[in-house]
Amino acid sequence: MNTYIKTEAKKFKNEYDILSDKIKEFDRIAIFRHIAPDFDALGTQFGLATFIKDNFPNKEIVILGDNHDVFTGKLFPETDRVNDAWFDQPFLAIIVDVGDKKRIADPRFERAAFKVKLDHHPETDKIFDVSIVDTSLAAASELVTNFILMQKKYVLTRLAAQYLYIALVGDSGRFQYSSTTAHTFAIASALVETGINISEIYGKMYSKKISDLDIMKFILNTFKISPKGVAYYVLTNEDLLKLGISCDRGKENVNLFSNLEGVNIWCSITEDVTEPCFRISIRSRNYTINGVATQFKGGGHAQAAGAQIKDLSELPQFIEALESLIQ
């Protein structure tokens, strides 16, 4: 086994052993992740669930949380719709890819007899029986795959590996983000060795419709760049309705600005009328942005984070906070 995988496994040997024992102990297991799911949240969730189902076919596994407008059906099945009575009996909760309690997609995780979290975000809530957290990893998928590879008696099928690879590719920006490490590539190699078709996976992940060009055209016609190189676009609810997309899809084009000279930080700013607020996705090449994200009701990684503002009157203050990071 790869040295990087072994080294990571040593960090969490005791926690991995507890999780393995709990999976064997409980006949009913629920897997949770964050709201408004991305590639990593869904891929890690379905990958872990598939691994458990493949090796423990008699256990009842449920996958919880909101579906995605695009990824569900295209890359992942629909999540389970579970009657509230299901949670009255003892179950194990495994929570992936979420550091903040309020962002867990289904609050019924709190009714679990035992809770385990696997994540790569900074931990904000100490509410789990076991927390397995490594913020140096590019994706939660890395941590979950590492755990799976340590379970030597069990099989990692192509389907489980496919889900986990989607998660890994998505949160590492196709291995371009600075969070990508030798461990990331070691995990990718182990997943590819199962025989997954990476060309097919990339095709499904990044294929576009002709109608998507209208969204990109709108963004390219309306984006702004601040004096110090903060690029951003705003999609109001009126814009979303006109373009025929949801709030969740509003952030899909944030990386249009990732390789432009003179752009240091880039953001999508999308109205969510259900809150109400404007949801912000922030990306950076060289600047640590999660501190600013925390100031604006968010958080995340050093160069990939999320935040929110109540309305556009707060936008100048937010941009100014990002500009303050740039030398």
Side-chain angles (χ1 to χ4, degrees):
M1 184 172 290
N2 184 283
T3 301
Y4 294 103
I5 294 174
K6 287 182 179 178
T7 300
E8 183 70 17
K10 286 180 182 178
K11 294 182 187 177
F12 301 109
K13 183 183 184 307
N14 292 337
E15 291 87 350
Y16 282 171
D17 287 345
I18 293 171
L19 175 56
S20 181
D21 290 342
K22 292 300 177 181
I23 290 172
K24 295 171 189 174
E25 176 186 340
F26 283 87
D27 293 327
R28 304 163 75 255
I29 301 173
I31 303 181
F32 301 80
R33 41 76 179 163
H34 63 72
I35 57 173
D38 55 11
F39 287 126
D40 192 25
L42 285 165
T44 302
Q45 184 184 37
F46 276 97
L48 179 57
T50 302
F51 168 76
I52 298 173
K53 289 178 181 179
D54 289 337
N55 292 283
F56 301 91
N58 294 324
K59 293 186 182 293
E60 186 177 1
I61 315 297
V62 295
I63 302 167
L64 301 170
D66 44 330
N67 289 304
H68 191 279
D69 289 352
V70 176
F71 303 159
T72 299
K74 182 179 180 182
L75 292 166
F76 308 103
E78 290 191 357
T79 52
D80 296 309
R81 293 293 166 259
V82 182
N83 188 290
D84 202 53
W86 190 92
F87 300 90
D88 291 338
Q89 300 299 317
F91 69 96
L92 169 66
I94 304 176
I95 301 97
V96 300
D97 196 37
V98 56
D100 191 333
K101 172 184 172 180
K102 67 178 181 290
R103 298 198 73 240
I104 298 174
D106 190 317
R108 294 175 294 186
F109 80 93
E110 297 200 72
R111 294 162 64 178
F114 198 89
K115 307 178 191 71
V116 180
K117 182 175 79 164
L118 298 104
D119 189 27
H120 68 137
H121 297 91
E123 188 168 35
T124 59
D125 298 301
K126 305 290 185 180
I127 60 171
F128 308 98
D129 296 291
V130 172
S131 288
I132 308 172
V133 177
D134 190 338
T135 59
S136 71
L137 301 181
S141 170
E142 280 191 68
L143 197 57
V144 169
T145 304
N146 214 106
F147 163 73
I148 288 171
L149 294 174
M150 294 300 103
Q151 312 308 304
K152 297 179 181 179
K153 296 180 181 179
Y154 305 113
V155 62
L156 174 59
T157 62
R158 287 184 186 178
L159 181 58
Q162 176 176 301
Y163 289 143
L164 293 164
Y165 189 81
I166 289 169
L168 185 64
V169 168
D171 242 29
S172 67
R174 286 181 266 189
F175 309 109
Q176 295 181 83
Y177 294 160
S178 62
S179 55
T180 301
T181 64
H183 182 268
T184 312
F185 285 112
I187 291 295
S189 177
L191 294 171
V192 171
E193 285 176 3
T194 65
I196 59 175
N197 186 330
I198 60 172
S199 295
E200 182 179 302
I201 289 171
Y202 282 117
K204 288 183 178 180
M205 287 179 72
Y206 297 109
S207 64
K208 297 283 188 182
K209 296 179 180 179
I210 292 177
S211 59
D212 292 332
L213 294 176
D214 290 328
I215 302 169
M216 295 171 66
K217 181 173 71 174
F218 180 87
I219 290 169
L220 292 173
N221 282 329
T222 59
F223 79 94
K224 300 183 184 302
I225 300 180
S226 74
K228 288 189 176 181
V230 177
Y232 62 96
Y233 64 87
V234 177
L235 295 173
T236 65
N237 189 58
E238 182 180 350
D239 297 328
L240 296 172
L241 292 172
K242 182 170 67 175
L243 294 168
I245 61 174
S246 66
C247 172
D248 288 343
R249 288 197 60 198
K251 66 180 181 181
E252 286 181 351
N253 289 289
V254 64
N255 282 321
L256 276 174
F257 309 95
S258 61
N259 294 308
L260 294 178
E261 291 185 9
V263 172
N264 298 301
I265 300 171
W266 51 101
C267 315
S268 66
I269 302 164
T270 310
E271 187 171 10
D272 182 353
V273 294
T274 65
E275 285 291 329
C277 70
F278 281 79
R279 298 193 178 279
I280 305 174
S281 288
I282 320 166
R283 301 291 184 268
S284 165
R285 188 177 301 106
N286 299 310
Y287 296 94
T288 299
I289 55 177
N290 53 357
V292 170
T294 301
Q295 293 175 36
F296 290 86
K297 300 180 181 179
H301 304 290
Q303 295 175 325
Q308 64 175 263
I309 55 177
K310 183 178 180 181
D311 54 49
L312 293 180
S313 67
E314 297 181 7
L315 181 55
Q317 181 185 357
F318 172 74
I319 299 301
E320 184 179 347
L322 289 178
E323 283 213 307
S324 71
L325 302 175
I326 300 171
Q327 302 302 316

